[in-house]
Amino acid sequence: MSKFWSQVVQDLTPYVPGEQPKLPKLVKLNTNENPYGPSPKVLEALQAEVGDTLRLYPDPNSDRLRQTIADYHRVTPDQVFVGNGSDEVLAHTFQALLKHDLPIRFPDITYSFYPVYCGLYGIAYQQLPLTESLEICIDDYLQPNGGIIFPNPNAPTARLLALPEIERLLQANTDSVVVIDEAYVDFGGDSAIGLTARYPQLLVTRTLSKSHSLAGLRVGYAVGHPDLIEALTRVKDSFNSYPLDRFAQAGAVAALEDHAYFEETRRKVVTSRNRLVGELEMLGFVVLPSAANFIFARHPSNDGAVLTANLRERSIIVRHFKNPARIDPFMRITIGTEQQCAVLVSALREILS
Ligand SMILES: Cc1ncc(COP(=O)(O)O)c(C=O)c1O
């Protein structure tokens, strides 16, 4: 604390990102990165950007990237907003579209950045408890509100809400923006992007960090009605008009254009996930159904924090959340390579024996 801090900063409770340890040779299963590197075409595109043009600012509107995303999702570029990771897209969304008189609504167990943005922008919010089985219940959201946001699949539970349920919400909730955060949807869900044509209050956010193996490049985007996109652009142009550098724009285009590589790595992650779930169940774990590149698992007779610490002693890092108390028994485990999953399973077998 310092007397030089503004009141906003004094009142902030910042987000705590997952650990990015500097130690080599770790089995790093804690921040939902893709275990496979980006497409070789991305690396070529990045290399092509190294040169004299770096003295020039990048395209402030990321036109080529927005066109590529528009083609990818069969929408128009004026329905696409891009940002420095979907975290930045989400931050602008909170300020541009979710700050109204009524509180916004999101689940009690969800991406822990949402309450942080509310704190930063002074947005009132209500956290609605997930069901016993840690699912989102749409009926809970059908009250007047300043906006609604949740990830689908949800994080850290990995549970998916079926698309008809999202459409039911959109039919009932027409006076405020509904944001569906699809950071993980490529690993097992149906996207709501197709619904944006019929529901002008729907904004869908996406990231290239997970299914396109580009967490290090920081590229995220949103798709929605041009009026919603214009609001985000107005905030962006009042904050940082060049959020994506030349590398990010070129690399993201190449990643989205390499469908074959995307399909191959996605299939590998899903296959490893399904195998890992079976193996953990054989060890007695209860694993929630996962549509993501991570799983949420607990062991009936072993504490989540203790298991996490035991794995750490064996240089395997997974994520454990203390709050709220009902997720304390769980570990969130990112799907690694086949080999990393095998190391994890044999470590757990040893710990439990
Ligand atoms: C639900 C959810 N949304 C958004 C993000 C942010 O992703 P990024 O800023 O890397 O695009 C994450 C990151 O883990 C996430 O879990």
Side-chain angles (χ1 to χ4, degrees), residues 85-87 90 111 151 181 183-184 207 209-210 218:
S86 61
D87 280 341
L90 289 166
Y111 188 33
D181 174 351
Y184 301 102
T207 178
S209 297
K210 319 289 178 181
R218 312 303 300 126

Side-chain angles (χ1 to χ4, degrees), residues 275-314:
R275 183 170 305 154
L276 179 63
V277 170
E279 287 172 340
L280 292 187
E281 284 174 347
M282 301 250 283
L283 292 178
F285 280 90
V286 176
V287 186
L288 297 190
S290 169
N293 69 335
F294 59 90
I295 54 171
F296 208 44
R298 67 178 170 84
H299 195 276
S301 47
N302 283 272
D303 187 74
V306 174
L307 285 176
T308 302
N310 286 335
L311 286 171
R312 199 185 173 89
E313 282 166 16
R314 292 163 172 80

Side-chain angles (χ1 to χ4, degrees), residues 97-105 143-148 175-177:
L97 300 168
L98 298 177
K99 187 170 162 59
H100 298 286
D101 293 339
L102 287 172
I104 68 164
R105 305 190 137 207
Q143 299 287 332
N145 60 74
I148 293 169
D175 290 334
S176 70
V177 170

Side-chain angles (χ1 to χ4, degrees), residues 187-221:
F187 298 104
D190 290 327
S191 175
I193 287 181
L195 298 176
T196 57
R198 276 181 288 137
Y199 298 97
Q201 77 277 35
L202 170 63
L203 188 81
V204 178
T205 61
R206 290 277 197 124
T207 178
L208 271 71
S209 297
K210 319 289 178 181
S211 55
H212 287 87
S213 308
L214 284 177
L217 206 61
R218 312 303 300 126
V219 181
Y221 60 93

Side-chain angles (χ1 to χ4, degrees), residues 78-90:
D78 64 351
Q79 292 171 272
V80 178
F81 177 81
V82 294
N84 190 272
S86 61
D87 280 341
E88 187 184 78
V89 176
L90 289 166

